[in-house]
């Protein structure tokens, strides 16, 4: 039976992966969402398709190809290992990379929608005042899509916490390194240890419920 220390370590790793993934995707999601919302490039539909693929692609499929792609037996994995001493298969770093790729659309989509919903006059008015595009983005557009960014953060964080297929394929189930709560639940159910599985599941349920409740409460308060 897993010790209490093992339980807390698994939960710590789970939220650590979710937090790091969310922070990385904020940095990626804002410029990518901005580009997709305002670009007139003919390649935009292709980029949107690539970004959105994890929504419809089975996690095990994506996890399998990431496992193959980053394997030290193949050119990319071998290059990363020999050049940077970076192993992305069955490692914590691999969990982060897999989670970032799989959760990308859950951050980009609400941010892109937020940008697209803004009136064009807002951008044009800022331009007439001599503001740079970067200044307009940081001080005009972003404050006006704060709720969209918050939605992206919450959905990304919650989605990463609950992900199973991708993290199982690329991270494996190494206790203290890549064993996350979703994997632990599966393991305990398979071992007929429903008490511990319930402990993991209930912890995730209560924490995500509290995050969502607080978010909706604050949003409701702002509109009053």
């Amino acid at each position: 039976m897993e010790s209490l220390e093992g339980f807390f370590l698994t939960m710590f790793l789970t939220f650590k992966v979710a937090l790091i993934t969310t922070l990385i995707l904020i940095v990626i999601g804002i410029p990518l969402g901005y580009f997709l919302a305002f670009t007139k490039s003919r390649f935009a539909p292709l980029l949107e398709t690539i970004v959105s693929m994890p929504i419809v692609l089975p996690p095990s499929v994506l996890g399998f190809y990431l496992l193959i792609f980053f394997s030290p037996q193949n050119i990319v994995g071998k290059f990363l290992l020999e050049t940077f001493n970076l192993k992305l298969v069955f490692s914590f770093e691999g969990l982060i990379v897999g989670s970032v790729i799989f959760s990308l659309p859950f951050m980009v989509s609400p941010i892109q929608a937020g940008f697209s919903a803004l009136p064009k006059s807002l951008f044009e008015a800022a331009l007439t005042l001599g503001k740079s595009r970067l200044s307009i983005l940081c001080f005009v557009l972003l404050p006006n899509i704060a709720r969209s960014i918050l939605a992206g953060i919450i959905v990304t964080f919650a989605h990463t916490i609950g992900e199973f297929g991708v993290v199982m394929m690329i991270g494996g189930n190494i206790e203290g390194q890549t064993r996350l709560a979703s994997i632990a639940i599966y393991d305990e159910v398979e071992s007929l240890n429903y008490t511990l599985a319930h402990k993991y599941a209930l912890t995730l349920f209560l924490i995500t419920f509290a995050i969502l409740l607080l978010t909706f409460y604050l949003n409701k308060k702002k509109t009053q």
Side-chain angles (χ1 to χ4, degrees):
M1 184 173 179
E2 188 174 7
S3 65
L4 188 61
E5 182 181 354
F7 171 80
F8 283 115
L9 179 57
T10 297
M11 296 306 303
F12 172 76
L13 280 174
T14 300
F15 287 102
K16 184 179 179 181
V17 168
L19 178 60
I20 293 174
T21 298
T22 303
L23 292 175
I24 292 173
L25 284 176
I26 291 173
V27 176
I28 297 173
I30 290 175
L32 187 54
Y34 175 85
F35 175 79
L36 291 174
F38 296 111
T39 186
K40 296 180 180 178
S41 171
R42 59 182 177 178
F43 297 107
L46 176 61
L47 181 57
E48 283 187 283
T49 300
I50 293 172
V51 170
S52 301
M53 275 295 288
I55 296 177
V56 296
L57 194 66
S60 55
V61 173
L62 179 60
F64 171 73
Y65 283 115
L66 288 176
L67 179 65
I68 298 299
F69 188 73
F70 291 122
S71 170
Q73 306 301 320
N74 291 320
I75 185 169
V76 175
K78 186 176 181 181
F79 170 78
L80 291 173
L81 185 60
E82 293 179 351
T83 307
F84 303 103
N85 194 30
L86 181 61
K87 183 184 177 185
L88 294 182
V89 173
F90 305 129
S91 68
F92 181 81
E93 293 80 7
L95 287 182
I96 298 299
V97 172
S99 296
V100 165
I101 293 173
F102 192 64
S103 294
L104 180 63
F106 297 93
M107 179 66 77
V108 174
S109 293
I111 292 177
Q112 180 185 351
F115 279 128
S116 299
L118 293 176
K120 292 183 178 180
S121 57
L122 188 66
F123 187 85
E124 293 169 353
L127 278 178
T128 59
L129 295 174
K131 303 290 185 181
S132 67
R133 289 183 178 272
L134 181 59
S135 178
I136 293 172
L137 172 63
C138 294
F139 301 109
V140 179
L141 302 184
L142 290 182
N144 279 279
I145 65 161
R147 290 186 182 179
S148 297
I149 295 174
L150 180 60
I153 290 172
I154 293 169
V155 173
T156 299
F157 189 84
H159 181 262
T160 305
I161 286 175
E163 173 47 30
F164 174 77
V166 170
V167 296
M168 183 64 177
M169 292 294 286
I170 195 170
N173 185 15
I174 306 172
E175 189 170 355
Q177 297 182 43
T178 64
R179 178 180 166 89
L180 303 185
S182 57
I183 299 173
I185 292 171
Y186 175 82
D187 274 354
E188 300 306 332
V189 169
E190 196 173 44
S191 302
L192 301 180
N193 189 357
Y194 295 122
T195 300
L196 190 53
H198 173 66
K199 186 186 295 186
Y200 279 115
L202 183 61
T203 302
L204 293 183
F205 175 85
L206 292 176
I207 291 175
T208 51
F209 180 84
I211 292 172
L212 287 173
L213 180 62
L214 178 62
T215 302
F216 289 131
Y217 172 77
L218 292 176
N219 280 336
K220 188 72 175 178
K221 200 171 182 181
K222 285 182 180 178
T223 58
Q224 291 177 349

